[in-house]
């Protein structure tokens, strides 16, 4: 079973993908006469995955009518942390030696977006680039966790896109402005529980207008998911629902020779595809006045 958030009547509600069917958990809970979490965030906080699985698997499960309007993978993550240059070939293509410790930065709440959510481009920049990533979702409060313990603190994984504005990013030593523009951190659509997938064997692909641009595998991560959680937890407490973008494989536009750098523009569609998890797709658009 995969979990997801979706919009229903202007509010965010919890869904489950099971046997290729999108189940409305709120309506299913009502049919069963039980109380269940209302979002993926709540499933994590309430440790309620098994209860949702039982409901979604029951003969009273209610299938969502029509097309699903997906919300972000989590609607209220306490932190959205990101890791830079975490694949050897990506570090090389950007002209850097591999890092000896994780390079940690963040995205802010304004960057949140979901599957099929449009991304508005500002007229103040033009070097828009893609970065397809596996995203870790923290399941338990973690502080000073060892690598051996770290897997116990991961709830699951989802797809993420770390959209970047390169001229802003490279203008400053701090990457925040170039990494946290509005709607530039989409996640989803699905969340897969950690115990249901091997985080060291996930294919990571990125397509621009259906053209394959990035391909890699999480076995190539310089710093594993467990190491990242352990390392970050030495310096800050990780909370349930925190998200960690684990880095991107080679193939970003910034890594192309200058004469071949054609930056993303309004009308382009970018898709992240992670094996065993799903596909996250977003369209770029001109910012509305």
């Amino acid at each position: 079973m995969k979990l997801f958030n979706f919009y229903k009547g202007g509010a965010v509600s919890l869904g489950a993908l099971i046997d290729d069917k999108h189940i409305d958990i709120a309506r299913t809970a009502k049919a069963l006469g039980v109380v269940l979490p209302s979002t993926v965030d709540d499933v994590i906080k309430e440790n309620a995955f098994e209860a949702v699985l039982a409901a979604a698997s029951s003969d009273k499960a209610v299938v969502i009518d029509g097309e699903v309007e997906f919300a972000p993978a989590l609607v209220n993550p306490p932190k959205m942390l990101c890791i830079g240059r975490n694949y050897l070939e990506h570090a090389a293509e950007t002209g850097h030696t591999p890092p000896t410790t994780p390079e940690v930065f963040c995205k802010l709440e304004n960057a949140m977006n979901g599957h099929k959510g449009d991304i508005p481009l500002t007229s103040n920049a033009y070097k828009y680039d893609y970065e397809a990533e596996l995203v870790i979702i923290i399941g338990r409060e973690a502080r000073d966790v060892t690598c051996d313990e770290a897997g116990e603190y991961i709830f699951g994984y989802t797809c993420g896109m770390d959209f970047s504005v390169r001229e802003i990013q490279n203008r400053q030593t701090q990457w925040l402005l170039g990494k946290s523009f509005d709607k530039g951190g989409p996640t989803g659509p699905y969340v897969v529980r950690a115990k249901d997938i091997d985080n060291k064997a996930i294919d990571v692909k990125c397509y621009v207008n259906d053209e394959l641009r990035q391909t890699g595998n999480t076995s190539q991560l310089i710093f594993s998911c467990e190491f990242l959680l352990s390392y970050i937890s030495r310096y800050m407490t990780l909370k349930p629902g925190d998200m960690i973008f684990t880095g991107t494989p080679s193939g970003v536009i910034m890594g192309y020779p200058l004469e071949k750098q054609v930056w993303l523009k309004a009308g382009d569609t970018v898709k992240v595809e992670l094996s065993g998890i799903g596909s996250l797709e977003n369209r770029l658009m001109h910012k509305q006045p």
Side-chain angles (χ1 to χ4, degrees), residues 2 134 157-159 192 196-205 216-218 272-279:
K2 301 177 183 179
L134 171 70
Y157 303 93
T158 191
C159 303
V192 175
D196 295 330
I197 195 167
D198 180 358
N199 68 16
K200 296 177 177 61
I202 299 172
D203 291 326
V204 180
K205 296 182 180 180
N217 187 278
T218 53
V272 179
E273 186 178 277
L274 300 186
S275 60
I277 299 178
S279 297

Side-chain angles (χ1 to χ4, degrees), residues 145-183:
V145 172
T146 68
C147 283
D148 289 341
E149 298 168 332
E152 303 172 14
Y153 292 81
I154 298 175
F155 173 81
Y157 303 93
T158 191
C159 303
M161 173 58 73
D162 175 19
F163 279 103
S164 306
V165 187
R166 298 302 191 188
E167 72 266 45
I168 306 301
Q169 176 190 351
N170 294 330
R171 184 183 301 166
Q172 301 170 317
T173 56
Q174 302 297 315
W175 293 356
L176 182 63
L177 283 181
K179 291 287 193 173
S180 196
F181 64 94
D182 291 346
K183 306 293 184 181

